[in-house]
Amino acid sequence: MTLTHLNQQGEASMVDVTDKDITDRSARAQSAVAMSAEAFAQLKAGNNKKGDVLATARIAGIQAAKKTADLIPLCHPLALTKVQVDFTLDEAGNTVHIASFCRLAGRTGVEMEALTAASVAALTIYDMCKAVDPAMVIGPTRLQEKTGGKRGNWSAGHHGEGHREQGQ
């Protein structure tokens, strides 16, 4: 097995993707923030003292996807063509579910960008609500699906396993 992020001297190295084909690529990720009933009620009503929690978390998630290469060592900077961050409120569980989507036409995938968007959106929700509930729980955070590239499409199964479709 050859390690892709080490050069011949064993030093960290960014993978050269110059010769890879440009293909349409996308990725979806998810995360969640579970909180107390009081924090959830404030978030839902829009009367959190720090402002509009979901609007701020959406902007933070989009910005984070665009800055992923600044955060993850050896990650390629990408010219994203689409970043979307959406929220679903689960009143029964006092949980905000976060869904992120990233897309581009490029030589490498956008999984890390989608995961970063979902993660930073979750962290922003935590930051804005922590005065009311410092015991909030973030997660699970995971990749839901990816499309494009040499290895084809992949989607998460119900119990953590994945399914790959070859060639796209």
Side-chain angles (χ1 to χ4, degrees):
M1 181 172 96
T2 303
L3 299 177
T4 61
H5 285 70
L6 297 177
N7 66 17
Q8 291 178 340
Q9 292 75 37
E11 302 163 333
S13 176
M14 182 186 275
V15 174
D16 185 353
V17 297
T18 305
D19 295 332
K20 286 178 126 184
D21 291 335
I22 294 174
T23 62
D24 288 333
R25 297 162 184 263
S26 68
R28 293 182 189 279
Q30 69 178 31
S31 192
V33 183
M35 61 188 68
S36 68
E38 180 185 3
F40 188 84
Q42 278 189 11
L43 180 145
K44 184 179 176 204
N47 59 11
N48 182 287
K49 290 181 181 180
K50 291 187 177 182
D52 187 334
V53 175
L54 298 182
T56 305
R58 177 174 286 114
I59 292 167
I62 291 168
Q63 188 65 24
K66 294 167 37 176
K67 294 290 190 179
T68 299
D70 293 337
L71 301 169
I72 308 296
L74 310 179
C75 191
H76 292 85
L78 301 179
L80 297 169
T81 57
K82 173 77 174 173
V83 179
Q84 184 172 334
V85 177
D86 294 309
F87 306 100
T88 305
L89 301 181
D90 172 7
E91 293 186 48
N94 295 321
T95 300
V96 179
H97 294 277
I98 303 158
S100 65
F101 174 77
C102 294
R103 183 174 184 204
L104 60 64
R107 291 182 166 92
T108 189
V110 293
E111 296 92 334
M112 293 309 299
E113 287 71 14
L115 285 161
T116 300
S119 297
V120 171
L123 289 168
T124 301
I125 291 169
Y126 183 95
D127 182 50
M128 294 190 73
C129 298
K130 69 186 179 210
V132 180
D133 181 12
M136 287 176 284
V137 176
I138 296 174
T141 302
R142 68 180 290 193
L143 183 67
Q144 284 299 109
E145 71 176 22
K146 60 89 66 192
T147 67
K150 186 169 102 177
R151 291 192 215 134
N153 300 342
W154 178 90
S155 64
H158 295 290
H159 300 289
E161 70 278 3
H163 172 72
R164 186 174 299 283
E165 300 169 19
Q166 286 298 82
Q168 289 294 321

